[in-house]
Amino acid sequence: MTSAAVTPSSVTVRVPAKVNLELLVGPPREDGYHPLATVYQAVTLFDEVTVRTAAEWSISVVGPQSVGVPADDTNLAARAARRLAAANGVVQPVHLRVRKEIPVAGGMAGGSADAAAALVACDQLWGLSLSRPALEKIAADVGSDVPFLLSGGTAMGSGRGEVLAPVLAKGTYHWVFALSEKGLSTPAVYAECDRLRSGRPVHQPSPSPEMMTALRSGNARALGEALSNDLQAAAISLMPEIGDVLDAGLEFGAVGGVVSGSGPTVAFLAEDHESALDLAVSLTASGAVQDVRRATGPAHGAHVVPTSRPVSWPT
Ligand code: ATP
């Protein structure tokens, strides 16, 4: 037998959700996209994508948040994998298994997270070993939030959100997410934002000094005060109960609250671990929200979950 190359039979990648600490939205561009200035933070709510060599392309979606997620070629994880294959001349089909914990259509970029996970998993399964910039380029073609979910942490996003720059952020933050049973369509929220602002001047967005100062301080209260989202009014206009949820969380002691991305998930910042526990209990007991999740941030971006025993194939 000749030398043996270690080729995994399957690869599993864990990927976090994101919250936008600040989301500033400019006037729509000619291509329909809105220029953004955003600060992302990855949080410890994870999806997992497992890819396995198969005779034909296929996908399955499992887990507590799998309802309403397409198990076909329109799934963002499948789109990302196919794009990576096409860009690198790969003809080997895979089966993708997506395990969803991230709320769907909740403004936490679950679909983009799965796309980032699929890129990292397929890159390893196919032995491509692409450079980070090469992977980021494909990620940006798949969706604006996908490059951030590759890197994770806390970062500034401009352009459509896909142009990333590091942010100096200190500390660990304790989040409580109020989930909604219903989702909100991202394009519908942007359209409502444009409608609410029509007739008013809308400036090109740039990150606020307050947010940068708060992140450098590592102080939860300062960050809580600096949280902001230009899409919040639009999300509340389409789903007024979001406003009641925000009021409830602040009343129960959150040091800040903001609609996550295009909503309807509301992200509350707590002072520390204990306060986050209390807040989650109060929100649940009050009946003001359908479901809550606690998480901390920042979290690592898409990363391979080590398997206990790799399979060796003779070459
Ligand atoms: P964002 O914050 O990026 O605007 P979101 O968190 O509001 O997104 P997603 O959970 O990413 O929304 O899903 C939006 C829609 O995309 C879903 O309703 C679903 O039909 C479709 N979709 C495609 N692939 C996926 C996936 N892997 N996970 C979730 N939704 C997916």
Side-chain angles (χ1 to χ4, degrees):
M1 196 191 302
T2 56
S3 66
V6 177
T7 308
S9 59
S10 73
V11 177
T12 297
V13 169
R14 236 175 157 214
V15 65
K18 62 86 182 156
V19 57
N20 299 83
L21 307 178
E22 180 168 66
L23 179 52
L24 306 173
V25 180
R29 307 190 308 204
E30 269 180 9
D31 63 4
Y33 282 105
H34 293 72
L36 303 180
T38 190
V39 178
Y40 295 108
Q41 182 160 90
V43 296
T44 56
L45 280 182
F46 297 104
D47 278 359
E48 273 185 11
V49 175
T50 300
V51 295
R52 186 181 300 277
T53 302
E56 283 180 7
W57 285 89
S58 57
I59 182 162
S60 56
V61 184
V62 299
Q65 298 288 337
S66 55
V67 178
V69 180
D72 57 27
D73 281 354
T74 65
N75 192 295
L76 280 175
R79 279 198 208 162
R82 293 247 194 193
R83 206 175 261 255
L84 183 69
N88 292 279
V90 173
V91 290
Q92 172 63 67
V94 294
H95 174 75
L96 297 107
R97 181 178 184 274
V98 182
R99 184 179 158 74
K100 292 216 58 89
E101 292 272 354
I102 303 175
V104 179
M108 301 194 75
S112 302
D114 299 342
L119 290 178
V120 172
C122 289
D123 177 65
Q124 174 143 338
L125 186 79
W126 293 328
L128 297 173
S129 302
L130 291 190
S131 66
R132 185 40 70 114
L135 221 47
E136 277 172 2
K137 161 112 191 34
I138 296 175
D141 289 343
V142 177
S144 312
D145 291 340
V146 185
F148 173 69
L149 278 319
L150 281 179
S151 56
T154 307
M156 220 158 63
S158 57
R160 292 179 283 118
E162 83 287 17
V163 183
L164 298 177
V167 164
L168 191 61
K170 229 167 79 178
T172 297
Y173 297 96
H174 298 268
W175 295 98
V176 176
F177 294 98
L179 312 191
S180 164
E181 255 176 3
K182 294 180 274 178
L184 269 177
S185 143
T186 304
V189 175
Y190 274 96
E192 180 66 358
C193 177
D194 290 338
R195 192 187 70 79
L196 293 176
R197 302 197 298 193
S198 66
R200 278 194 278 140
V202 178
H203 303 291
Q204 290 303 321
S206 65
S208 73
E210 290 80 13
M211 173 54 66
M212 296 303 139
T213 308
L215 283 169
R216 268 199 305 273
S217 76
N219 180 301
R221 281 192 181 270
L223 183 62
E225 277 169 28
L227 296 173
S228 79
N229 180 355
D230 281 353
L231 295 178
Q232 182 157 306
I236 294 174
S237 166
L238 295 175
M239 209 188 266
E241 56 267 40
I242 293 175
D244 302 331
V245 172
L246 271 164
D247 290 345
L250 295 172
E251 200 175 302
F252 292 138
V255 294
V258 73
V259 168
S260 179
S262 53
T265 303
V266 177
F268 290 110
L269 192 56
E271 180 108 58
D272 52 28
H273 174 77
E274 287 300 310
S275 315
L277 275 173
D278 290 346
L279 178 59
V281 169
S282 303
L283 281 169
T284 309
S286 73
V289 302
Q290 315 279 355
D291 202 359
V292 296
R293 291 281 184 288
R294 282 184 299 111
T296 59
H300 291 298
H303 54 281
V304 173
V305 178
T307 46
S308 45
R309 206 158 54 92
V311 178
S312 292
W313 300 97
T315 54

